[in-house]
Amino acid sequence: MSRDARPRRVSWLRVGFLADGVFKLLVASIYVVLLQVMTDFLDAPPWPLVATAALVATSGIAEITFALRSGAGSHTRYLVAYDSGWVIVTFIAALLAFNDVLGAGAFWLAYQLLASPLVAAVFAFGARRAQTD
């Protein structure tokens, strides 16, 4: 049986990439739906949150596309690095906010504003490369 004629096996990596991409789309949607509440809570103007939502959504779409086209394990480290960074920055921002440090919300948004386009590019390139292979 040729490689293209074989049925596709569901890979848990694909499912993981797909689930993470859907989660990012959900997070971006929540940012937009709760825009006023979040800007008040983060003490930030709306535009960084809208930009963050767009970039997180772009990252999620790139990850979903990658999952559907390839889902190669070689990209797991990028996902782990991005998500680990997000957790660490969230923890630090929460500590800063609980200690009444101004800019904690901006710090949290800045990570997403910088890291989301990077991870989107990595996964978009990976999906494009999988399409040409």
Side-chain angles (χ1 to χ4, degrees):
M1 196 183 292
S2 75
R3 181 177 182 215
D4 293 333
R6 280 186 269 162
R8 267 193 164 165
R9 201 179 91 195
V10 174
S11 161
W12 287 112
L13 283 174
R14 282 179 185 255
V15 172
F17 288 131
L18 185 64
D20 197 70
V22 170
F23 176 76
K24 286 181 178 131
L25 288 176
L26 179 64
V27 167
S29 299
I30 289 169
Y31 288 175
V32 172
V33 170
L34 299 177
L35 181 66
Q36 187 61 49
V37 172
M38 289 193 68
T39 54
D40 291 344
F41 179 74
L42 296 171
D43 193 29
W47 74 265
L49 195 57
V50 171
T52 299
L55 293 172
V56 169
T58 301
S59 174
I61 291 167
E63 200 169 328
I64 290 168
T65 303
F66 177 78
L68 296 175
R69 292 194 178 152
S70 171
S74 61
H75 283 60
T76 304
R77 64 182 176 263
Y78 303 115
L79 182 61
V80 169
Y82 174 83
D83 288 346
S84 297
W86 200 351
V87 168
I88 291 166
V89 167
T90 299
F91 180 74
I92 293 169
L95 284 176
L96 293 172
F98 287 129
N99 288 302
D100 295 325
V101 175
L102 291 176
F107 171 69
W108 185 68
L109 289 174
Y111 173 78
Q112 295 172 67
L113 280 167
L114 296 172
S116 291
L118 293 175
V119 80
V122 166
F123 281 102
F125 179 73
R128 178 177 284 174
R129 189 169 172 205
Q131 187 178 18
T132 61
D133 288 343

